[in-house]
Amino acid sequence: MNVTPVSAELKTIESFLEVGWREGKIVSDDITQAFELIIDYWIVLFLSSLGVITNSLTLVVFLRQEFRDSVNVSLFSITVWDQVKCLAGVVYRLHKPLGLYKPVWGYNWKWMSGPYLIYLSIFAGFVSYALATYVSIERCLSVSIPFKVRSFITPPITSSFMLGLSLIVFGSFSPMFLIYTIHYTYSPLYNASIVTVIPNHFYYARDGLILKIYKFLGIFYPAIFCTIMISTSAIIVFHLRKSAENFDKMKGAKSTAAATAGESSRVSTTVTPRELKVTKMLLVVILIYLMDFFPRVCTYTASLIEPGFFLYGKYHNLMLVMSNVLWVLDFVNASVNFFIFLRMSTNFKKTFYMIFPKCLKLHEKDKV
């Protein structure tokens, strides 16, 4: 381990921080620390831990069901990235229990892992948003032109889209992993070497180009995804209502065989009852993503307008508070899909109780 005294570079960074968030703060250090303790540690740690459990169960169910359906492929892919987000969230927040055992360990783990695991959680979330957007487009096409869609949206095609979108979105953010350097300095407080995170030359290269691209993508991706999801959701709702009306008419025409045949042919051009259930379930998933989008778009827009509204910037504390709020929304989003699938998908519920029969017994006891 390379331990150095405070160098000229570190002094420059310290003066940068002094001019930055230590002066003219909108949010005090006490409030920021309270948010970090209550929200970032306890609440987010609970949600991310819950997400690890629920996503693991979801992955087990989808693996048992195999991938004969394109919907399973897309939902499995989304769950993988949700799991990456939740795992990164849990591992990063181990700094608190480590700190209870040995304060310097907790301090070092927080600052050593933070620049990487925090960004990993964020970028995994963006990939998950991208894949959910694909699902919204696929569902929109499935209820609009069902017969044509079934012929070309196959599991292999869906797998290719999932992989391609994952590589594009995650790859576009990956330079952010390079902008900080970890140094070690001696701390009289801990009587040990502590980690210091320093913005390196990539941080400042070409007038902070990497940060500008990151902030732009932080607005561009959610704006595009949100627009697509809203548009496709509106179309899906329209077709769901239309299909429901057709099924009602078909039931009312059962007394006449000819009428029934005519209505059945008309319904067959829309969607089947099973597809209606799947589409409704996916629509709920999409709406939860939309609820998570708006605060993130607002936060990234603010950081683009005001460069100081960023980590280690002038409004560092305010950025941390807003980030904690976003973390809660992110990890709620990453942990609730299991409950949606269990509630709204008959096949998912059947497979889950087949794998975990004791859960079925407990569920039946609760009903009684």
Side-chain angles (χ1 to χ4, degrees), residues 271-294:
V271 290
T272 64
R274 178 185 176 277
E275 287 175 331
L276 280 174
K277 291 182 179 179
V278 172
T279 302
K280 288 178 181 179
M281 179 187 72
L282 295 178
L283 187 61
V284 173
V285 174
I286 292 167
L287 291 176
I288 291 175
Y289 274 99
L290 288 174
M291 292 172 62
D292 190 21
F293 273 139
F294 291 107

Short mmCIF file of all heavy atoms in Angstrom, two decimals, residues 271-294:
data_model
loop_
_atom_site.label_atom_id
_atom_site.label_comp_id
_atom_site.label_asym_id
_atom_site.label_seq_id
_atom_site.Cartn_x
_atom_site.Cartn_y
_atom_site.Cartn_z
N VAL A 271 -55.96 -9.42 -29.48
CA VAL A 271 -55.09 -10.19 -28.60
C VAL A 271 -55.89 -11.24 -27.86
O VAL A 271 -57.10 -11.14 -27.70
CB VAL A 271 -54.39 -9.26 -27.57
CG1 VAL A 271 -53.38 -8.37 -28.22
CG2 VAL A 271 -55.43 -8.43 -26.81
N THR A 272 -55.19 -12.26 -27.38
CA THR A 272 -55.82 -13.33 -26.63
C THR A 272 -55.97 -12.91 -25.17
O THR A 272 -55.30 -11.97 -24.72
CB THR A 272 -54.97 -14.60 -26.70
OG1 THR A 272 -53.71 -14.35 -26.05
CG2 THR A 272 -54.72 -15.01 -28.14
N PRO A 273 -56.83 -13.60 -24.40
CA PRO A 273 -56.97 -13.27 -22.97
C PRO A 273 -55.65 -13.36 -22.22
O PRO A 273 -55.38 -12.55 -21.33
CB PRO A 273 -57.97 -14.32 -22.48
CG PRO A 273 -58.79 -14.66 -23.69
CD PRO A 273 -57.83 -14.59 -24.83
N ARG A 274 -54.80 -14.35 -22.54
CA ARG A 274 -53.51 -14.47 -21.88
C ARG A 274 -52.63 -13.27 -22.16
O ARG A 274 -51.97 -12.71 -21.28
CB ARG A 274 -52.80 -15.75 -22.33
CG ARG A 274 -51.41 -15.90 -21.72
CD ARG A 274 -50.68 -17.12 -22.27
NE ARG A 274 -49.33 -17.19 -21.74
CZ ARG A 274 -48.30 -16.52 -22.23
NH1 ARG A 274 -48.48 -15.71 -23.28
NH2 ARG A 274 -47.10 -16.63 -21.69
N GLU A 275 -52.61 -12.83 -23.43
CA GLU A 275 -51.80 -11.67 -23.79
C GLU A 275 -52.32 -10.41 -23.11
O GLU A 275 -51.53 -9.51 -22.77
CB GLU A 275 -51.79 -11.49 -25.31
CG GLU A 275 -50.95 -12.54 -26.03
CD GLU A 275 -51.05 -12.41 -27.54
OE1 GLU A 275 -52.11 -11.95 -28.01
OE2 GLU A 275 -50.08 -12.76 -28.23
N LEU A 276 -53.64 -10.33 -22.92
CA LEU A 276 -54.20 -9.19 -22.20
C LEU A 276 -53.66 -9.13 -20.77
O LEU A 276 -53.28 -8.07 -20.28
CB LEU A 276 -55.72 -9.28 -22.17
CG LEU A 276 -56.48 -8.82 -23.43
CD1 LEU A 276 -57.96 -9.12 -23.27
CD2 LEU A 276 -56.26 -7.34 -23.67
N LYS A 277 -53.61 -10.29 -20.09
CA LYS A 277 -53.10 -10.33 -18.73
C LYS A 277 -51.63 -9.95 -18.67
O LYS A 277 -51.19 -9.20 -17.80
CB LYS A 277 -53.31 -11.73 -18.14
CG LYS A 277 -54.77 -12.09 -17.88
CD LYS A 277 -54.88 -13.47 -17.26
CE LYS A 277 -56.33 -13.83 -16.98
NZ LYS A 277 -56.45 -15.19 -16.38
N VAL A 278 -50.85 -10.50 -19.60
CA VAL A 278 -49.41 -10.19 -19.66
C VAL A 278 -49.20 -8.71 -19.91
O VAL A 278 -48.36 -8.05 -19.26
CB VAL A 278 -48.71 -11.03 -20.75
CG1 VAL A 278 -47.27 -10.56 -20.94
CG2 VAL A 278 -48.74 -12.51 -20.39
N THR A 279 -49.98 -8.15 -20.83
CA THR A 279 -49.84 -6.74 -21.17
C THR A 279 -50.19 -5.84 -19.99
O THR A 279 -49.52 -4.85 -19.72
CB THR A 279 -50.73 -6.39 -22.38
OG1 THR A 279 -50.36 -7.24 -23.48
CG2 THR A 279 -50.54 -4.94 -22.78
N LYS A 280 -51.25 -6.19 -19.26
CA LYS A 280 -51.63 -5.41 -18.09
C LYS A 280 -50.53 -5.44 -17.03
O LYS A 280 -50.22 -4.42 -16.41
CB LYS A 280 -52.94 -5.94 -17.50
CG LYS A 280 -54.17 -5.63 -18.33
CD LYS A 280 -55.42 -6.23 -17.72
CE LYS A 280 -56.65 -5.93 -18.57
NZ LYS A 280 -57.88 -6.55 -17.99
N MET A 281 -49.93 -6.61 -16.84
CA MET A 281 -48.85 -6.73 -15.87
C MET A 281 -47.65 -5.87 -16.27
O MET A 281 -47.09 -5.13 -15.46
CB MET A 281 -48.41 -8.19 -15.75
CG MET A 281 -47.27 -8.43 -14.77
SD MET A 281 -46.67 -10.13 -14.83
CE MET A 281 -45.81 -10.11 -16.43
N LEU A 282 -47.28 -5.95 -17.54
CA LEU A 282 -46.14 -5.17 -18.01
C LEU A 282 -46.44 -3.68 -17.99
O LEU A 282 -45.54 -2.86 -17.79
CB LEU A 282 -45.76 -5.62 -19.43
CG LEU A 282 -45.25 -7.05 -19.54
CD1 LEU A 282 -44.94 -7.40 -20.99
CD2 LEU A 282 -44.00 -7.25 -18.70
N LEU A 283 -47.70 -3.32 -18.18
CA LEU A 283 -48.08 -1.91 -18.11
C LEU A 283 -47.85 -1.36 -16.70
O LEU A 283 -47.39 -0.23 -16.53
CB LEU A 283 -49.54 -1.74 -18.52
CG LEU A 283 -50.06 -0.30 -18.67
CD1 LEU A 283 -49.26 0.45 -19.73
CD2 LEU A 283 -51.54 -0.31 -19.02
N VAL A 284 -48.15 -2.16 -15.68
CA VAL A 284 -47.88 -1.75 -14.30
C VAL A 284 -46.39 -1.54 -14.08
O VAL A 284 -45.96 -0.56 -13.47
CB VAL A 284 -48.43 -2.80 -13.31
CG1 VAL A 284 -48.00 -2.47 -11.88
CG2 VAL A 284 -49.94 -2.87 -13.39
N VAL A 285 -45.56 -2.46 -14.61
CA VAL A 285 -44.11 -2.33 -14.50
C VAL A 285 -43.64 -1.04 -15.16
O VAL A 285 -42.81 -0.30 -14.61
CB VAL A 285 -43.41 -3.55 -15.14
CG1 VAL A 285 -41.89 -3.35 -15.17
CG2 VAL A 285 -43.75 -4.83 -14.38
N ILE A 286 -44.17 -0.75 -16.34
CA ILE A 286 -43.79 0.45 -17.08
C ILE A 286 -44.17 1.71 -16.31
O ILE A 286 -43.39 2.68 -16.23
CB ILE A 286 -44.44 0.45 -18.48
CG1 ILE A 286 -43.84 -0.67 -19.34
CG2 ILE A 286 -44.26 1.80 -19.17
CD1 ILE A 286 -44.63 -0.95 -20.61
N LEU A 287 -45.35 1.72 -15.72
CA LEU A 287 -45.80 2.90 -14.96
C LEU A 287 -44.91 3.16 -13.75
O LEU A 287 -44.65 4.31 -13.39
CB LEU A 287 -47.25 2.71 -14.52
CG LEU A 287 -48.30 2.72 -15.65
CD1 LEU A 287 -49.69 2.43 -15.10
CD2 LEU A 287 -48.29 4.07 -16.38
N ILE A 288 -44.41 2.11 -13.12
CA ILE A 288 -43.50 2.28 -11.99
C ILE A 288 -42.19 2.91 -12.46
O ILE A 288 -41.62 3.77 -11.78
CB ILE A 288 -43.24 0.93 -11.29
CG1 ILE A 288 -44.52 0.48 -10.59
CG2 ILE A 288 -42.09 1.04 -10.29
CD1 ILE A 288 -44.42 -0.89 -9.96
N TYR A 289 -41.72 2.51 -13.62
CA TYR A 289 -40.52 3.14 -14.20
C TYR A 289 -40.76 4.61 -14.46
O TYR A 289 -39.89 5.45 -14.21
CB TYR A 289 -40.12 2.43 -15.50
CG TYR A 289 -39.23 1.24 -15.29
CD1 TYR A 289 -39.75 -0.05 -15.30
CD2 TYR A 289 -37.86 1.39 -15.08
CE1 TYR A 289 -38.94 -1.15 -15.10
CE2 TYR A 289 -37.05 0.28 -14.88
CZ TYR A 289 -37.59 -0.98 -14.89
OH TYR A 289 -36.77 -2.07 -14.68
N LEU A 290 -41.93 4.94 -14.97
CA LEU A 290 -42.24 6.34 -15.25
C LEU A 290 -42.24 7.18 -13.97
O LEU A 290 -41.78 8.33 -13.98
CB LEU A 290 -43.61 6.45 -15.94
CG LEU A 290 -43.66 5.97 -17.40
CD1 LEU A 290 -45.09 6.00 -17.92
CD2 LEU A 290 -42.78 6.84 -18.28
N MET A 291 -42.72 6.63 -12.88
CA MET A 291 -42.71 7.35 -11.61
C MET A 291 -41.29 7.62 -11.13
O MET A 291 -41.03 8.59 -10.41
CB MET A 291 -43.47 6.54 -10.56
CG MET A 291 -44.96 6.44 -10.80
SD MET A 291 -45.77 5.28 -9.67
CE MET A 291 -45.42 6.08 -8.09
N ASP A 292 -40.37 6.77 -11.52
CA ASP A 292 -38.96 6.94 -11.13
C ASP A 292 -38.23 7.91 -12.05
O ASP A 292 -37.19 8.45 -11.69
CB ASP A 292 -38.28 5.57 -11.15
CG ASP A 292 -36.89 5.61 -10.52
OD1 ASP A 292 -36.61 6.54 -9.74
OD2 ASP A 292 -36.09 4.71 -10.79
N PHE A 293 -38.76 8.13 -13.25
CA PHE A 293 -38.07 8.94 -14.26
C PHE A 293 -38.05 10.43 -13.92
O PHE A 293 -37.01 11.08 -14.01
CB PHE A 293 -38.72 8.77 -15.63
CG PHE A 293 -38.18 7.61 -16.42
CD1 PHE A 293 -39.02 6.81 -17.15
CD2 PHE A 293 -36.83 7.34 -16.44
CE1 PHE A 293 -38.54 5.73 -17.88
CE2 PHE A 293 -36.33 6.28 -17.17
CZ PHE A 293 -37.19 5.46 -17.89
N PHE A 294 -39.19 10.98 -13.56
CA PHE A 294 -39.32 12.44 -13.49
C PHE A 294 -38.38 13.10 -12.50
O PHE A 294 -37.71 14.08 -12.85
CB PHE A 294 -40.78 12.81 -13.19
CG PHE A 294 -41.72 12.51 -14.32
CD1 PHE A 294 -42.61 11.46 -14.25
CD2 PHE A 294 -41.72 13.28 -15.47
CE1 PHE A 294 -43.47 11.16 -15.30
CE2 PHE A 294 -42.57 13.00 -16.53
CZ PHE A 294 -43.45 11.95 -16.44
#
